[in-house]
Amino acid sequence: MAETSHGTHGAHARPPTRRERWSAFRQSPFWPAVVLVLILAAAAGLFAGSYTYSMADPTPRSIPTAVVGGYEQARGRAFLGGLEKALNASVKVHTYRDTGRARQALEDQQVFAIFEIRGDGRTAVLDLSSASGASVAQVLSDAAPAVGKETGVRVTVRDVNPLQRGDPRGLAIFYISLAAVIIGFVGAIQLSVHARTLTPFERILFTVAYALLGAFAIAATVDWLLGALRLPFAESWAILALTLFTSGMVFTMFNTLVGRWAMLPTWGLMVLLGNPSSGGAVSWPLLPSPLGTIGQWLPPGASVNAQHTAVYFQGHQHLFPYLVLGGWALLSCAVFWTWRHRHPGGRERRPAHGDGVVAA
């Protein structure tokens, strides 16, 4: 009896092994807290890095430009060559037979500016479109007169498609698109937390509901309340609603696939990668080239492109951004619906009265 007591006392006195301590730590509330601390620290660095890399020092790389007139003259070639050297970038020249066709290309957003070389190349007119990209227009308007002075070409600069008075830097569209993206997936998060028992079909319906109301609130605030932008209201409302819905369903898709860690891929795709590469704050010719290409295929970039054209290039809307937004929305809904049994939510169907009697 004494030996048994002594043995038991000795077992209690034995310090826990490293494996036991690690196992206890993994089962404690401190483990997920430590993981979240590390994830948040990494996310903070990535967030700052992605936006700084994309926007802090916008540098021209390839600027599509229309050229009309005597661009084949020696002075014209010298002027364009000097402009490329001054910008340390490629001025991608598209030649047009007349100004009308060049202006059409500008309206279709195929080029960012029109250089009309007149006479023997001694004079040139630079038609800019601030609405196409305020940052690109600023770069060209600063560089062209200086290069003209060096090459003996007198340059006249005109802004043929200026920004609206309430949006002098062209950032309002980026901000409203950013609001739609953020509120879109935050709304889906809140549905998952506070309306956890929604069925899959109900979850999609309520995502549609807050997308429509949220888009209306954004458009009404920016246009009617603040007067920052004169929006083509119905079209802008539809673009914002599609953006909100797509963003919400992207989170729902990831929540279905990876559960409670869904915020990580959603934040990475929509905020760390999508928003800096959207072309809203910095025009895509000034972005690092991979970002300028990738951004057009992501929901934030598609939303900015569609909204930008709706506001400043009415009648010249492209189908591509709508296909991108619709494609992401369709993919997200399909993944969610196919694997809806894995989504951490929903509720079981209540048995019918007759089934309950039989079961009893």
Side-chain angles (χ1 to χ4, degrees):
M1 184 70 179
E3 289 181 0
T4 303
S5 175
H6 178 74
T8 304
H9 179 74
H12 281 297
R14 179 178 65 83
T17 64
R18 180 179 299 178
R19 178 175 296 182
E20 290 171 342
R21 288 197 300 269
W22 174 247
S23 178
F25 175 68
R26 288 289 301 271
Q27 295 174 11
S28 74
F30 300 112
W31 166 248
V34 169
V35 171
L36 284 174
V37 166
L38 296 176
I39 290 174
L40 290 172
L46 289 171
F47 184 66
S50 65
Y51 278 69
T52 303
Y53 174 67
S54 304
M55 303 179 185
D57 185 22
T59 304
R61 288 163 176 83
S62 178
I63 303 177
T65 306
V67 179
V68 180
Y71 52 87
E72 294 180 347
Q73 299 288 337
R75 287 181 184 272
R77 291 197 301 270
F79 174 74
L80 292 176
L83 189 63
E84 287 193 346
K85 184 177 179 181
L87 296 175
N88 193 25
S90 169
V91 178
K92 192 174 181 181
V93 173
H94 299 266
T95 59
Y96 294 89
R97 283 185 289 179
D98 55 62
T99 306
R101 297 187 183 187
R103 185 67 63 86
Q104 181 67 32
L106 191 70
E107 292 291 329
D108 289 335
Q109 301 180 73
Q110 297 173 0
V111 297
F112 279 76
I114 303 171
F115 282 105
E116 183 182 357
I117 311 297
R118 296 179 174 176
D120 60 353
R122 291 182 180 275
T123 61
V125 176
L126 170 58
D127 285 341
L128 295 172
S129 173
S130 294
S132 300
S135 48
V136 173
Q138 182 66 47
V139 167
L140 289 174
S141 64
D142 291 342
V147 172
K149 187 176 294 185
E150 293 177 0
T151 56
V153 178
R154 185 164 55 88
V155 180
T156 302
V157 180
R158 303 183 304 191
D159 193 345
V160 296
N161 193 7
L163 293 162
Q164 293 184 18
R165 183 178 300 177
D167 184 29
R169 297 188 179 182
L171 294 176
I173 289 175
F174 173 67
Y175 293 146
I176 65 175
S177 300
L178 177 63
V181 168
I182 298 295
I183 297 301
F185 68 75
V186 168
I189 293 171
Q190 294 304 304
L191 282 182
S192 296
V193 173
H194 300 291
R196 187 179 181 86
T197 58
L198 289 174
T199 66
F201 182 67
E202 292 167 348
R203 190 172 299 276
I204 292 174
L205 283 183
F206 275 93
T207 304
V208 171
Y210 78 69
L212 288 171
L213 288 176
F216 182 86
I218 293 172
T221 299
V222 171
D223 189 344
W224 300 344
L225 182 61
L226 300 178
L229 281 176
R230 295 188 306 274
L231 299 174
F233 199 88
E235 187 176 3
S236 291
W237 181 12
I239 294 167
L240 289 168
L242 183 55
T243 304
L244 276 151
F245 177 75
T246 301
S247 183
M249 290 311 302
V250 164
F251 173 83
T252 305
M253 173 182 69
F254 285 128
N255 201 18
T256 303
L257 295 176
V258 298
R260 62 179 177 176
W261 300 109
M263 186 61 182
L264 295 180
T266 304
W267 184 263
L269 181 71
M270 306 295 279
V271 178
L272 293 184
L273 182 59
N275 283 323
S277 62
S278 66
V282 175
S283 301
W284 64 262
L286 305 185
L287 290 171
S289 53
L291 287 181
T293 302
I294 293 171
Q296 300 176 52
W297 291 88
L298 297 178
S303 180
V304 167
N305 287 343
Q307 197 70 253
H308 182 252
T309 304
V311 173
Y312 287 111
F313 299 92
Q314 295 181 24
H316 297 268
Q317 186 61 268
H318 301 288
L319 184 60
F320 177 71
Y322 290 94
L323 291 177
V324 171
L325 284 170
W328 277 99
L330 185 61
L331 172 66
S332 301
C333 288
V335 170
F336 169 55
W337 192 261
T338 302
W339 286 283
R340 58 189 181 277
H341 58 280
R342 296 184 53 184
H343 189 273
R347 62 183 183 272
E348 294 183 2
R349 293 179 59 187
R350 294 182 178 179
H353 179 70
D355 295 339
V357 172
V358 172

